Amino acid sequence: MNSAASTAKRIVIFASGAGSNAQKIIDHFRDSDISVQMIVCNKPQAGVLSIAEREGIPTLLIEKERFFRGDAYVPVFRDMSIDLIVLAGFLWKIPQALIDAFPRKIINIHPALLPKYGGKGMYGAFVHEAVIAAGEVQSGITIHYVDEHYDHGDIVFQTACPVVEGDTPEILAKRIHELEHAHYPRVIEELLTTKR
Ligand code: GRF
């Protein structure tokens, strides 16, 4: 095995939304030895699929039945020798079979400071509405390992931003997205390049 082959890392992004984080991750690792091998998605209309097409990245549109009651696509990901599965706007719960196949190799980003404002139903605007309604003076982002519960595994990285008077969920969402874009690619790189 040559040295390039031994340092090269392969990631797969699971995303089913607009894909702004996926785009930042793709940009960050362009021309590096960390490659985005595939975008996995469960929504045929998701904006992230257009990003994948434009970037020439293969996509896999997954089916609920196979994901939750079949093999969870484990053989597909095993064959690809993946180093990290990166969730970026993927709302389905990750099946136990996939967690077992990739222990501490699946991470998620959540648009709040977990353990607050996480769990089933806490996604997108619902998170920011709840943060504002509770009168929080700060929110932020959490990058964490994925376990069998929603938004629950060990925390890898958190950073905060202020919530200010007059914030709407849309304004706060924009501030949070900027934080995500600034940190997620960097944290992924750190996870893949530092020994743990
Ligand atoms: C992000 O806010 C992330 O925290 C959450 O889903 C959103 C995805 O946004 N898990 P985008 O599709 O990357 O723009």
Side-chain angles (χ1 to χ4, degrees), residues 15-90:
S16 292
S20 70
N21 280 283
Q23 182 72 68
K24 292 289 172 186
I25 295 164
I26 293 163
D27 292 344
H28 184 84
F29 294 118
R30 207 181 293 285
D31 306 320
S32 86
D33 57 7
I34 295 172
S35 61
V36 178
Q37 293 285 308
M38 180 180 271
I39 306 277
V40 173
C41 181
N42 68 276
K43 280 196 190 146
Q45 310 305 329
V48 71
L49 291 175
S50 316
I51 294 175
E53 194 182 350
R54 199 173 57 233
E55 296 284 353
I57 297 173
T59 56
L60 174 65
L61 200 54
I62 55 171
E63 293 159 13
K64 209 168 198 168
E65 187 63 27
R66 179 168 174 192
F67 196 56
F68 292 110
R69 282 169 290 278
D71 65 8
Y73 295 84
V74 167
V76 176
F77 303 126
R78 276 227 171 98
D79 280 355
M80 294 170 68
S81 305
I82 290 166
D83 295 288
L84 196 66
I85 294 177
V86 172
L87 311 192
F90 186 78

Side-chain angles (χ1 to χ4, degrees), residues 42-189:
N42 68 276
K43 280 196 190 146
Q45 310 305 329
V48 71
L49 291 175
S50 316
I51 294 175
E53 194 182 350
R54 199 173 57 233
E55 296 284 353
I57 297 173
T59 56
L60 174 65
L61 200 54
I62 55 171
E63 293 159 13
K64 209 168 198 168
E65 187 63 27
R66 179 168 174 192
F67 196 56
F68 292 110
R69 282 169 290 278
D71 65 8
Y73 295 84
V74 167
V76 176
F77 303 126
R78 276 227 171 98
D79 280 355
M80 294 170 68
S81 305
I82 290 166
D83 295 288
L84 196 66
I85 294 177
V86 172
L87 311 192
F90 186 78
L91 298 184
W92 283 358
K93 206 165 175 189
I94 301 300
Q96 191 64 46
L98 202 48
I99 295 170
D100 291 345
F102 294 94
R104 282 177 98 77
K105 284 188 176 174
I106 311 177
I107 58 169
N108 179 43
I109 189 162
H110 185 76
L113 295 172
L114 294 175
K116 287 171 108 177
Y117 307 105
K120 196 169 163 56
M122 271 293 168
Y123 61 90
F126 297 117
V127 176
H128 308 309
E129 276 163 19
V131 166
I132 292 168
E136 299 283 0
V137 295
Q138 66 168 14
S139 189
I141 63 167
T142 304
I143 297 168
H144 64 95
Y145 287 109
V146 170
D147 69 7
E148 64 273 31
H149 307 290
Y150 273 114
D151 303 324
H152 181 265
D154 288 351
I155 290 173
V156 178
F157 175 81
Q158 282 189 308
T159 191
C161 65
V163 179
V164 297
E165 189 89 29
D167 267 357
T168 61
E170 292 75 23
I171 293 170
L172 183 54
K174 189 164 178 290
R175 198 175 300 133
I176 296 277
H177 254 120
E178 281 164 12
L179 268 192
E180 293 183 332
H181 298 164
H183 292 284
Y184 207 14
R186 180 186 65 71
V187 170
I188 293 166
E189 183 170 349

